Amino acid sequence: NSNTLNINVAFINEGSLLKSTGGGQLVFTSGVTQDNNSLSNIDISSGQTVRIDTGNFNWNDGELKGLGTMSFTGGAVINIGGSGARVLDGLTVSSNNLTLGAGSLEIKSGSFNASGTTNISSGATLQLTGGVFNPSGAFNNDGLIDLDVGNLSLGFGGAHTGDFDVASGTVLQFTGGTHAFNSGSDTFGSGDVAFTGGTSTYNTGSTYGITGDAGINGGDVNFNVAATTNSLTHASNTLGGSGSLTVSNTWTPTSGVTIDGNVVLGGSVNSSLSSFTLNGSGTLTNQGTLTLNAVTLNPSVDNDGGLLHLLVTTATNSFFNGALQNRNNATLRLQGQQNNADAVLTVSNSFTNDATSSIELISGFGSNSEAQLILSAGTLTNAGLITSSSGNGQTNVINAGVDNYGDITIN
């Protein structure tokens, strides 16, 4: 029926509380304690509601289960005390201001909607194994977030000294607010991390090592540490910070993104960029292979043992507006391929080619397929090897002041 049963005294549950039938509500007005007993549980069937109206729900151990709803009004909150193992299995729970002080809370199934501020204390674990945790306020993690299944979206900022374990197939998503990852906070695992809103900053003493994807699209991220990721999908916004992000396999940027920090492309990265602009005042370090056509790179470029290959099939100009260096057996190759396909690179800063590295100017077999290296400012300092080769009597060009301490070979 539609009646309401009020329980107006403090209620301690050490066994099983079942709300299974009827259309009414079960309302506790003086608080509920789910006691320190791993066998205790509250089971609310589908279509049923248990409401905590003033007082608190002290969840010390056991399960909340069923397919019904538990709600909190009149200032009532969930207090999670003790070191017990708590499990949410099926219920929809809505509460304001959640603190997990110790022990664990497993979201096995169902939904936990947490408004206000959520605090995960040092030594405590929030584990998502199948359900959904929806925080709609600040989220501060000083314990462990164990994301085993699904996604966790954090959209209102927070300060973190705890860990984020992101399993394969899951996504840890920062959708808004300001997130500060401070000393002791480790983000790791084989899942993905998505920065889609707000600003996230990894500060000294934190770590970031993801073997999935780092996605930047709508949010900014600053790495003040040496961070690593398997792949970087950079669709918009800014990657900054005084540290670096090393990409071990795949770099997928969208034209117009910004690097104000340092991105290191590892030796296995093989990317092609065409009609592409990279903004920012940071550094792009290449240890892999970058094939370029009609690009403008505004950050400094450190070709550290990698191959920068300007390979063109139509007449295009590329521009490097920051400092450029070749080092540690690196190669810069400018190559025109066919008629009217000059490969032209203009560097508007200094260019250093160390003793182990090479600059290759290669013209194609068609007419007007020369390779041209132009320094509009600064000097080309060469301690390595510069080679010029022509397929059809073309004239390759270096238009720059050259300090040469190495070798120049013309074929």
Short mmCIF file of all heavy atoms in Angstrom, two decimals, residues 277-349:
data_model
loop_
_atom_site.label_atom_id
_atom_site.label_comp_id
_atom_site.label_asym_id
_atom_site.label_seq_id
_atom_site.Cartn_x
_atom_site.Cartn_y
_atom_site.Cartn_z
N THR A 277 49.27 21.81 -38.04
CA THR A 277 49.90 22.84 -37.22
C THR A 277 49.93 22.40 -35.77
O THR A 277 48.92 21.96 -35.22
CB THR A 277 49.15 24.18 -37.33
OG1 THR A 277 49.20 24.64 -38.69
CG2 THR A 277 49.79 25.23 -36.44
N LEU A 278 51.11 22.50 -35.16
CA LEU A 278 51.27 22.22 -33.74
C LEU A 278 51.65 23.52 -33.04
O LEU A 278 52.67 24.14 -33.36
CB LEU A 278 52.36 21.18 -33.52
CG LEU A 278 52.60 20.73 -32.07
CD1 LEU A 278 51.35 20.06 -31.50
CD2 LEU A 278 53.80 19.78 -32.00
N ASN A 279 50.81 23.95 -32.10
CA ASN A 279 51.04 25.20 -31.39
C ASN A 279 51.78 24.95 -30.08
O ASN A 279 51.89 23.82 -29.61
CB ASN A 279 49.71 25.90 -31.10
CG ASN A 279 48.99 26.32 -32.37
OD1 ASN A 279 49.62 26.85 -33.29
ND2 ASN A 279 47.69 26.10 -32.44
N GLY A 280 52.25 26.05 -29.47
CA GLY A 280 52.84 25.97 -28.15
C GLY A 280 54.30 26.34 -28.12
O GLY A 280 54.97 26.52 -29.14
N SER A 281 54.81 26.46 -26.89
CA SER A 281 56.19 26.88 -26.65
C SER A 281 57.01 25.80 -25.98
O SER A 281 58.08 26.07 -25.43
CB SER A 281 56.20 28.15 -25.78
OG SER A 281 55.52 27.90 -24.55
N GLY A 282 56.52 24.57 -25.99
CA GLY A 282 57.23 23.46 -25.36
C GLY A 282 58.23 22.81 -26.29
O GLY A 282 58.79 23.45 -27.19
N THR A 283 58.44 21.51 -26.09
CA THR A 283 59.40 20.75 -26.89
C THR A 283 58.78 19.44 -27.35
O THR A 283 58.16 18.72 -26.55
CB THR A 283 60.67 20.44 -26.08
OG1 THR A 283 61.29 21.67 -25.68
CG2 THR A 283 61.67 19.64 -26.90
N LEU A 284 58.94 19.13 -28.62
CA LEU A 284 58.57 17.83 -29.18
C LEU A 284 59.86 17.06 -29.44
O LEU A 284 60.67 17.46 -30.27
CB LEU A 284 57.78 18.00 -30.47
CG LEU A 284 57.38 16.71 -31.20
CD1 LEU A 284 56.40 15.89 -30.36
CD2 LEU A 284 56.78 17.01 -32.57
N THR A 285 60.05 15.97 -28.69
CA THR A 285 61.24 15.14 -28.85
C THR A 285 60.88 13.89 -29.64
O THR A 285 59.94 13.18 -29.28
CB THR A 285 61.81 14.74 -27.48
OG1 THR A 285 62.19 15.92 -26.77
CG2 THR A 285 63.02 13.84 -27.63
N ASN A 286 61.62 13.64 -30.72
CA ASN A 286 61.32 12.52 -31.59
C ASN A 286 62.43 11.47 -31.50
O ASN A 286 63.58 11.73 -31.85
CB ASN A 286 61.18 12.98 -33.04
CG ASN A 286 60.97 11.80 -33.98
OD1 ASN A 286 60.12 10.95 -33.73
ND2 ASN A 286 61.76 11.75 -35.06
N GLN A 287 62.06 10.27 -31.04
CA GLN A 287 62.98 9.14 -31.04
C GLN A 287 62.53 8.06 -32.01
O GLN A 287 63.20 7.04 -32.16
CB GLN A 287 63.07 8.55 -29.62
CG GLN A 287 63.63 9.54 -28.61
CD GLN A 287 63.54 9.05 -27.18
OE1 GLN A 287 62.81 8.10 -26.87
NE2 GLN A 287 64.27 9.70 -26.29
N GLY A 288 61.41 8.31 -32.69
CA GLY A 288 60.86 7.35 -33.63
C GLY A 288 60.95 7.87 -35.06
O GLY A 288 61.98 8.40 -35.48
N THR A 289 59.84 7.76 -35.79
CA THR A 289 59.77 8.21 -37.19
C THR A 289 58.60 9.14 -37.36
O THR A 289 57.45 8.76 -37.07
CB THR A 289 59.63 7.02 -38.15
OG1 THR A 289 60.76 6.15 -38.01
CG2 THR A 289 59.54 7.49 -39.59
N LEU A 290 58.87 10.36 -37.84
CA LEU A 290 57.83 11.32 -38.17
C LEU A 290 57.96 11.65 -39.64
O LEU A 290 59.00 12.13 -40.10
CB LEU A 290 57.97 12.61 -37.35
CG LEU A 290 57.47 12.60 -35.91
CD1 LEU A 290 57.65 13.98 -35.29
CD2 LEU A 290 56.01 12.18 -35.84
N THR A 291 56.89 11.37 -40.41
CA THR A 291 56.84 11.72 -41.82
C THR A 291 55.95 12.95 -41.96
O THR A 291 54.79 12.93 -41.53
CB THR A 291 56.28 10.55 -42.66
OG1 THR A 291 57.10 9.39 -42.44
CG2 THR A 291 56.30 10.90 -44.13
N LEU A 292 56.51 14.02 -42.55
CA LEU A 292 55.87 15.33 -42.50
C LEU A 292 55.65 15.88 -43.90
O LEU A 292 56.47 15.71 -44.80
CB LEU A 292 56.74 16.31 -41.71
CG LEU A 292 57.19 15.84 -40.32
CD1 LEU A 292 58.19 16.81 -39.72
CD2 LEU A 292 55.99 15.66 -39.40
N ASN A 293 54.51 16.60 -44.05
CA ASN A 293 54.19 17.25 -45.31
C ASN A 293 53.33 18.46 -45.01
O ASN A 293 52.25 18.33 -44.43
CB ASN A 293 53.45 16.28 -46.25
CG ASN A 293 53.08 16.92 -47.56
OD1 ASN A 293 53.79 17.80 -48.05
ND2 ASN A 293 51.97 16.49 -48.14
N ALA A 294 53.84 19.65 -45.36
CA ALA A 294 53.09 20.89 -45.15
C ALA A 294 52.71 21.07 -43.69
O ALA A 294 51.55 21.20 -43.33
CB ALA A 294 51.86 20.95 -46.04
N VAL A 295 53.72 21.08 -42.82
CA VAL A 295 53.47 21.21 -41.39
C VAL A 295 54.08 22.51 -40.87
O VAL A 295 55.06 23.04 -41.43
CB VAL A 295 54.06 20.02 -40.60
CG1 VAL A 295 53.44 18.72 -41.06
CG2 VAL A 295 55.58 19.98 -40.70
N THR A 296 53.49 23.02 -39.80
CA THR A 296 54.07 24.12 -39.04
C THR A 296 54.18 23.66 -37.60
O THR A 296 53.18 23.39 -36.95
CB THR A 296 53.20 25.38 -39.13
OG1 THR A 296 53.12 25.82 -40.49
CG2 THR A 296 53.79 26.51 -38.28
N LEU A 297 55.43 23.56 -37.12
CA LEU A 297 55.68 23.14 -35.75
C LEU A 297 56.23 24.32 -34.98
O LEU A 297 57.34 24.79 -35.25
CB LEU A 297 56.67 21.97 -35.72
CG LEU A 297 56.30 20.72 -36.54
CD1 LEU A 297 57.33 19.62 -36.33
CD2 LEU A 297 54.91 20.22 -36.18
N ASN A 298 55.45 24.83 -34.02
CA ASN A 298 55.88 25.98 -33.23
C ASN A 298 56.71 25.62 -32.01
O ASN A 298 57.58 26.41 -31.62
CB ASN A 298 54.65 26.80 -32.83
CG ASN A 298 54.03 27.51 -34.02
OD1 ASN A 298 54.69 28.29 -34.70
ND2 ASN A 298 52.77 27.22 -34.31
N PRO A 299 56.51 24.48 -31.35
CA PRO A 299 57.43 24.10 -30.27
C PRO A 299 58.82 23.80 -30.81
O PRO A 299 59.01 23.56 -32.01
CB PRO A 299 56.79 22.83 -29.69
CG PRO A 299 55.37 22.87 -30.12
CD PRO A 299 55.39 23.53 -31.47
N SER A 300 59.82 23.81 -29.94
CA SER A 300 61.14 23.34 -30.33
C SER A 300 61.08 21.87 -30.69
O SER A 300 60.25 21.11 -30.15
CB SER A 300 62.14 23.55 -29.19
OG SER A 300 62.29 24.92 -28.89
N VAL A 301 61.95 21.45 -31.61
CA VAL A 301 61.98 20.06 -32.05
C VAL A 301 63.35 19.47 -31.72
O VAL A 301 64.38 19.98 -32.17
CB VAL A 301 61.70 19.93 -33.55
CG1 VAL A 301 61.82 18.47 -33.99
CG2 VAL A 301 60.31 20.48 -33.88
N ASP A 302 63.34 18.42 -30.92
CA ASP A 302 64.56 17.70 -30.54
C ASP A 302 64.50 16.33 -31.21
O ASP A 302 63.79 15.44 -30.76
CB ASP A 302 64.63 17.57 -29.02
CG ASP A 302 65.85 16.79 -28.54
OD1 ASP A 302 66.74 16.50 -29.36
OD2 ASP A 302 65.89 16.48 -27.33
N ASN A 303 65.24 16.17 -32.29
CA ASN A 303 65.27 14.91 -33.02
C ASN A 303 66.36 14.05 -32.38
O ASN A 303 67.53 14.11 -32.74
CB ASN A 303 65.54 15.16 -34.50
CG ASN A 303 65.24 13.93 -35.35
OD1 ASN A 303 64.44 13.07 -34.96
ND2 ASN A 303 65.87 13.85 -36.52
N ASP A 304 65.96 13.25 -31.40
CA ASP A 304 66.88 12.51 -30.55
C ASP A 304 66.97 11.06 -31.00
O ASP A 304 66.28 10.19 -30.48
CB ASP A 304 66.39 12.61 -29.10
CG ASP A 304 67.27 11.84 -28.13
OD1 ASP A 304 68.40 11.47 -28.48
OD2 ASP A 304 66.80 11.60 -26.98
N GLY A 305 67.81 10.83 -32.01
CA GLY A 305 67.96 9.48 -32.53
C GLY A 305 66.86 9.04 -33.47
O GLY A 305 66.83 7.89 -33.90
N GLY A 306 65.96 9.95 -33.82
CA GLY A 306 64.84 9.60 -34.68
C GLY A 306 65.04 10.02 -36.12
O GLY A 306 66.10 10.53 -36.52
N LEU A 307 64.00 9.81 -36.93
CA LEU A 307 63.98 10.22 -38.33
C LEU A 307 62.87 11.24 -38.52
O LEU A 307 61.70 10.95 -38.26
CB LEU A 307 63.74 9.01 -39.24
CG LEU A 307 63.46 9.33 -40.72
CD1 LEU A 307 64.65 10.03 -41.38
CD2 LEU A 307 63.09 8.05 -41.49
N LEU A 308 63.23 12.44 -38.95
CA LEU A 308 62.27 13.44 -39.41
C LEU A 308 62.34 13.44 -40.93
O LEU A 308 63.37 13.80 -41.51
CB LEU A 308 62.63 14.83 -38.87
CG LEU A 308 62.43 15.09 -37.38
CD1 LEU A 308 62.94 16.48 -37.01
CD2 LEU A 308 60.96 14.96 -36.99
N HIS A 309 61.27 13.05 -41.57
CA HIS A 309 61.27 12.83 -43.02
C HIS A 309 60.24 13.75 -43.66
O HIS A 309 59.03 13.51 -43.55
CB HIS A 309 60.95 11.37 -43.31
CG HIS A 309 61.20 10.97 -44.73
ND1 HIS A 309 60.91 9.71 -45.22
CD2 HIS A 309 61.72 11.66 -45.79
CE1 HIS A 309 61.23 9.65 -46.50
NE2 HIS A 309 61.71 10.82 -46.87
N LEU A 310 60.70 14.81 -44.31
CA LEU A 310 59.80 15.65 -45.10
C LEU A 310 59.72 15.05 -46.49
O LEU A 310 60.63 15.18 -47.31
CB LEU A 310 60.32 17.09 -45.17
CG LEU A 310 59.84 18.01 -44.03
CD1 LEU A 310 60.57 17.65 -42.75
CD2 LEU A 310 60.04 19.46 -44.38
N LEU A 311 58.64 14.35 -46.75
CA LEU A 311 58.44 13.60 -47.99
C LEU A 311 57.22 14.19 -48.68
O LEU A 311 56.10 14.09 -48.18
CB LEU A 311 58.21 12.12 -47.67
CG LEU A 311 57.99 11.18 -48.84
CD1 LEU A 311 59.22 11.11 -49.74
CD2 LEU A 311 57.62 9.79 -48.34
N VAL A 312 57.42 14.82 -49.83
CA VAL A 312 56.33 15.54 -50.47
C VAL A 312 56.08 15.03 -51.88
O VAL A 312 57.00 14.59 -52.58
CB VAL A 312 56.61 17.06 -50.51
CG1 VAL A 312 56.84 17.58 -49.10
CG2 VAL A 312 57.80 17.39 -51.38
N THR A 313 54.83 15.06 -52.29
CA THR A 313 54.44 14.70 -53.66
C THR A 313 53.90 15.91 -54.42
O THR A 313 53.69 15.83 -55.62
CB THR A 313 53.37 13.59 -53.65
OG1 THR A 313 52.26 14.03 -52.87
CG2 THR A 313 53.94 12.31 -53.04
N THR A 314 53.62 17.00 -53.72
CA THR A 314 53.27 18.27 -54.35
C THR A 314 54.09 19.35 -53.67
O THR A 314 54.60 19.17 -52.57
CB THR A 314 51.76 18.58 -54.19
OG1 THR A 314 51.44 18.62 -52.79
CG2 THR A 314 50.91 17.53 -54.87
N ALA A 315 54.24 20.48 -54.33
CA ALA A 315 55.08 21.55 -53.78
C ALA A 315 54.48 22.06 -52.47
O ALA A 315 53.36 22.57 -52.45
CB ALA A 315 55.20 22.69 -54.78
N THR A 316 55.20 21.88 -51.39
CA THR A 316 54.72 22.33 -50.08
C THR A 316 55.87 22.94 -49.30
O THR A 316 57.04 22.60 -49.49
CB THR A 316 54.14 21.16 -49.26
OG1 THR A 316 55.13 20.15 -49.12
CG2 THR A 316 52.91 20.58 -49.93
N ASN A 317 55.52 23.83 -48.40
CA ASN A 317 56.48 24.41 -47.48
C ASN A 317 56.14 23.97 -46.06
O ASN A 317 54.97 23.94 -45.67
CB ASN A 317 56.44 25.94 -47.55
CG ASN A 317 56.89 26.47 -48.89
OD1 ASN A 317 57.76 25.89 -49.53
ND2 ASN A 317 56.30 27.57 -49.33
N SER A 318 57.17 23.65 -45.31
CA SER A 318 57.00 23.34 -43.90
C SER A 318 57.83 24.32 -43.09
O SER A 318 58.86 24.83 -43.56
CB SER A 318 57.44 21.91 -43.60
OG SER A 318 56.52 20.97 -44.15
N PHE A 319 57.37 24.58 -41.85
CA PHE A 319 58.02 25.59 -41.02
C PHE A 319 58.24 25.03 -39.62
O PHE A 319 57.31 24.53 -38.99
CB PHE A 319 57.15 26.85 -40.93
CG PHE A 319 56.87 27.49 -42.28
CD1 PHE A 319 55.75 27.10 -43.02
CD2 PHE A 319 57.70 28.46 -42.79
CE1 PHE A 319 55.48 27.67 -44.26
CE2 PHE A 319 57.45 29.04 -44.02
CZ PHE A 319 56.33 28.65 -44.77
N PHE A 320 59.48 25.12 -39.16
CA PHE A 320 59.82 24.83 -37.77
C PHE A 320 60.16 26.18 -37.14
O PHE A 320 61.18 26.79 -37.49
CB PHE A 320 61.02 23.90 -37.66
CG PHE A 320 60.75 22.47 -38.04
CD1 PHE A 320 59.55 22.08 -38.59
CD2 PHE A 320 61.71 21.50 -37.83
CE1 PHE A 320 59.30 20.76 -38.95
CE2 PHE A 320 61.49 20.17 -38.18
CZ PHE A 320 60.28 19.80 -38.74
N ASN A 321 59.32 26.64 -36.22
CA ASN A 321 59.49 27.98 -35.67
C ASN A 321 60.25 28.02 -34.35
O ASN A 321 60.58 29.09 -33.85
CB ASN A 321 58.13 28.66 -35.52
CG ASN A 321 57.50 28.96 -36.87
OD1 ASN A 321 58.20 29.25 -37.83
ND2 ASN A 321 56.17 28.87 -36.94
N GLY A 322 60.51 26.88 -33.77
CA GLY A 322 61.35 26.79 -32.58
C GLY A 322 62.73 26.29 -32.94
O GLY A 322 63.05 26.06 -34.12
N ALA A 323 63.58 26.14 -31.94
CA ALA A 323 64.92 25.60 -32.18
C ALA A 323 64.82 24.16 -32.65
O ALA A 323 63.91 23.42 -32.28
CB ALA A 323 65.75 25.69 -30.90
N LEU A 324 65.79 23.74 -33.48
CA LEU A 324 65.82 22.39 -34.03
C LEU A 324 67.19 21.79 -33.77
O LEU A 324 68.22 22.44 -34.01
CB LEU A 324 65.54 22.43 -35.54
CG LEU A 324 65.75 21.14 -36.33
CD1 LEU A 324 64.80 20.04 -35.85
CD2 LEU A 324 65.56 21.39 -37.83
N GLN A 325 67.20 20.57 -33.27
CA GLN A 325 68.48 19.87 -33.14
C GLN A 325 68.35 18.43 -33.57
O GLN A 325 67.33 17.79 -33.37
CB GLN A 325 69.03 19.96 -31.72
CG GLN A 325 68.20 19.30 -30.63
CD GLN A 325 68.91 19.32 -29.28
OE1 GLN A 325 70.13 19.35 -29.20
NE2 GLN A 325 68.13 19.31 -28.20
N ASN A 326 69.44 17.95 -34.21
CA ASN A 326 69.64 16.55 -34.56
C ASN A 326 70.71 16.01 -33.63
O ASN A 326 71.83 16.56 -33.59
CB ASN A 326 70.15 16.42 -36.00
CG ASN A 326 69.08 16.06 -36.99
OD1 ASN A 326 67.92 15.96 -36.65
ND2 ASN A 326 69.48 15.87 -38.23
N ARG A 327 70.43 14.94 -32.90
CA ARG A 327 71.45 14.39 -32.01
C ARG A 327 71.25 12.89 -31.83
O ARG A 327 70.19 12.34 -32.13
CB ARG A 327 71.42 15.09 -30.64
CG ARG A 327 70.14 14.92 -29.85
CD ARG A 327 70.12 15.83 -28.62
NE ARG A 327 68.90 15.67 -27.84
CZ ARG A 327 68.80 14.91 -26.72
NH1 ARG A 327 69.85 14.24 -26.29
NH2 ARG A 327 67.65 14.82 -26.08
N ASN A 328 72.33 12.23 -31.40
CA ASN A 328 72.28 10.79 -31.09
C ASN A 328 71.84 9.97 -32.29
O ASN A 328 70.85 9.23 -32.23
CB ASN A 328 71.38 10.53 -29.88
CG ASN A 328 71.88 11.16 -28.61
OD1 ASN A 328 73.08 11.31 -28.44
ND2 ASN A 328 70.97 11.56 -27.73
N ASN A 329 72.58 10.12 -33.40
CA ASN A 329 72.33 9.34 -34.63
C ASN A 329 70.97 9.66 -35.25
O ASN A 329 70.31 8.78 -35.83
CB ASN A 329 72.44 7.83 -34.35
CG ASN A 329 73.83 7.41 -33.94
OD1 ASN A 329 74.78 7.55 -34.72
ND2 ASN A 329 73.97 6.95 -32.71
N ALA A 330 70.58 10.90 -35.18
CA ALA A 330 69.31 11.33 -35.78
C ALA A 330 69.51 11.68 -37.26
O ALA A 330 70.62 11.97 -37.71
CB ALA A 330 68.77 12.53 -35.03
N THR A 331 68.39 11.67 -37.98
CA THR A 331 68.40 12.03 -39.40
C THR A 331 67.27 13.00 -39.70
O THR A 331 66.11 12.74 -39.34
CB THR A 331 68.24 10.79 -40.29
OG1 THR A 331 69.32 9.88 -40.05
CG2 THR A 331 68.23 11.18 -41.77
N LEU A 332 67.62 14.10 -40.37
CA LEU A 332 66.62 14.98 -40.99
C LEU A 332 66.72 14.77 -42.48
O LEU A 332 67.78 14.99 -43.08
CB LEU A 332 66.88 16.45 -40.65
CG LEU A 332 66.01 17.46 -41.41
CD1 LEU A 332 64.55 17.33 -41.00
CD2 LEU A 332 66.51 18.88 -41.19
N ARG A 333 65.64 14.31 -43.09
CA ARG A 333 65.65 13.99 -44.53
C ARG A 333 64.61 14.85 -45.24
O ARG A 333 63.42 14.81 -44.91
CB ARG A 333 65.35 12.51 -44.75
CG ARG A 333 65.32 12.08 -46.22
CD ARG A 333 65.06 10.59 -46.31
NE ARG A 333 66.11 9.82 -45.66
CZ ARG A 333 65.92 8.64 -45.07
NH1 ARG A 333 64.70 8.10 -45.04
NH2 ARG A 333 66.92 8.00 -44.50
N LEU A 334 65.06 15.64 -46.22
CA LEU A 334 64.17 16.45 -47.07
C LEU A 334 64.16 15.81 -48.45
O LEU A 334 65.20 15.68 -49.09
CB LEU A 334 64.66 17.90 -47.17
CG LEU A 334 64.28 18.85 -46.03
CD1 LEU A 334 64.87 18.40 -44.72
CD2 LEU A 334 64.74 20.26 -46.36
N GLN A 335 62.95 15.43 -48.91
CA GLN A 335 62.89 14.64 -50.14
C GLN A 335 61.71 15.06 -51.00
O GLN A 335 60.55 14.90 -50.61
CB GLN A 335 62.78 13.14 -49.79
CG GLN A 335 62.82 12.23 -50.99
CD GLN A 335 62.83 10.76 -50.60
OE1 GLN A 335 62.71 10.42 -49.42
NE2 GLN A 335 62.97 9.89 -51.58
N GLY A 336 62.02 15.62 -52.21
CA GLY A 336 60.99 15.83 -53.22
C GLY A 336 60.87 14.58 -54.07
O GLY A 336 61.87 13.91 -54.34
N GLN A 337 59.65 14.28 -54.53
CA GLN A 337 59.45 12.99 -55.21
C GLN A 337 59.15 13.10 -56.69
O GLN A 337 59.54 12.24 -57.46
CB GLN A 337 58.32 12.22 -54.52
CG GLN A 337 58.75 11.56 -53.21
CD GLN A 337 57.72 10.55 -52.75
OE1 GLN A 337 56.58 10.89 -52.50
NE2 GLN A 337 58.12 9.30 -52.66
N GLN A 338 58.42 14.11 -57.14
CA GLN A 338 57.99 14.13 -58.53
C GLN A 338 57.90 15.57 -59.02
O GLN A 338 58.30 16.49 -58.32
CB GLN A 338 56.64 13.42 -58.68
CG GLN A 338 55.52 14.01 -57.82
CD GLN A 338 54.31 13.11 -57.73
OE1 GLN A 338 54.43 11.90 -57.71
NE2 GLN A 338 53.13 13.73 -57.70
N ASN A 339 57.45 15.75 -60.27
CA ASN A 339 57.44 17.09 -60.86
C ASN A 339 56.75 18.11 -59.95
O ASN A 339 55.70 17.85 -59.37
CB ASN A 339 56.70 17.06 -62.21
CG ASN A 339 57.50 16.34 -63.27
OD1 ASN A 339 58.70 16.14 -63.12
ND2 ASN A 339 56.83 15.96 -64.36
N ASN A 340 57.40 19.27 -59.87
CA ASN A 340 56.83 20.40 -59.12
C ASN A 340 56.50 20.02 -57.68
O ASN A 340 55.46 20.37 -57.15
CB ASN A 340 55.58 20.93 -59.82
CG ASN A 340 55.85 21.40 -61.23
OD1 ASN A 340 56.81 22.15 -61.47
ND2 ASN A 340 55.05 20.92 -62.18
N ALA A 341 57.44 19.30 -57.08
CA ALA A 341 57.24 18.85 -55.71
C ALA A 341 58.49 19.16 -54.89
O ALA A 341 59.14 18.26 -54.36
CB ALA A 341 56.91 17.37 -55.67
N ASP A 342 58.83 20.43 -54.80
CA ASP A 342 59.95 20.84 -53.96
C ASP A 342 59.63 20.57 -52.50
O ASP A 342 58.52 20.85 -52.02
CB ASP A 342 60.25 22.33 -54.13
CG ASP A 342 60.83 22.66 -55.49
OD1 ASP A 342 61.26 21.72 -56.18
OD2 ASP A 342 60.83 23.84 -55.86
N ALA A 343 60.61 20.03 -51.80
CA ALA A 343 60.49 19.84 -50.36
C ALA A 343 61.23 20.99 -49.68
O ALA A 343 62.46 21.04 -49.70
CB ALA A 343 61.08 18.50 -49.94
N VAL A 344 60.48 21.91 -49.08
CA VAL A 344 61.07 23.12 -48.53
C VAL A 344 60.80 23.17 -47.03
O VAL A 344 59.65 23.10 -46.58
CB VAL A 344 60.48 24.39 -49.20
CG1 VAL A 344 61.14 25.64 -48.61
CG2 VAL A 344 60.66 24.33 -50.71
N LEU A 345 61.88 23.28 -46.25
CA LEU A 345 61.76 23.44 -44.80
C LEU A 345 62.41 24.75 -44.41
O LEU A 345 63.59 24.98 -44.67
CB LEU A 345 62.46 22.30 -44.06
CG LEU A 345 62.54 22.47 -42.52
CD1 LEU A 345 61.15 22.55 -41.90
CD2 LEU A 345 63.35 21.33 -41.89
N THR A 346 61.62 25.62 -43.76
CA THR A 346 62.14 26.87 -43.23
C THR A 346 62.21 26.77 -41.71
O THR A 346 61.20 26.50 -41.05
CB THR A 346 61.24 28.05 -43.64
OG1 THR A 346 61.20 28.14 -45.07
CG2 THR A 346 61.78 29.36 -43.07
N VAL A 347 63.42 26.99 -41.20
CA VAL A 347 63.65 26.98 -39.75
C VAL A 347 63.90 28.41 -39.32
O VAL A 347 64.81 29.07 -39.83
CB VAL A 347 64.84 26.08 -39.39
CG1 VAL A 347 65.07 26.07 -37.88
CG2 VAL A 347 64.62 24.66 -39.90
N SER A 348 63.11 28.90 -38.38
CA SER A 348 63.23 30.30 -37.98
C SER A 348 63.96 30.44 -36.66
O SER A 348 63.73 31.37 -35.90
CB SER A 348 61.84 30.95 -37.89
OG SER A 348 61.04 30.29 -36.93
N ASN A 349 64.87 29.51 -36.39
CA ASN A 349 65.65 29.55 -35.17
C ASN A 349 66.96 28.82 -35.45
O ASN A 349 67.28 28.53 -36.61
CB ASN A 349 64.87 28.89 -34.02
CG ASN A 349 65.20 29.48 -32.67
OD1 ASN A 349 66.34 29.51 -32.26
ND2 ASN A 349 64.17 29.98 -31.98
#
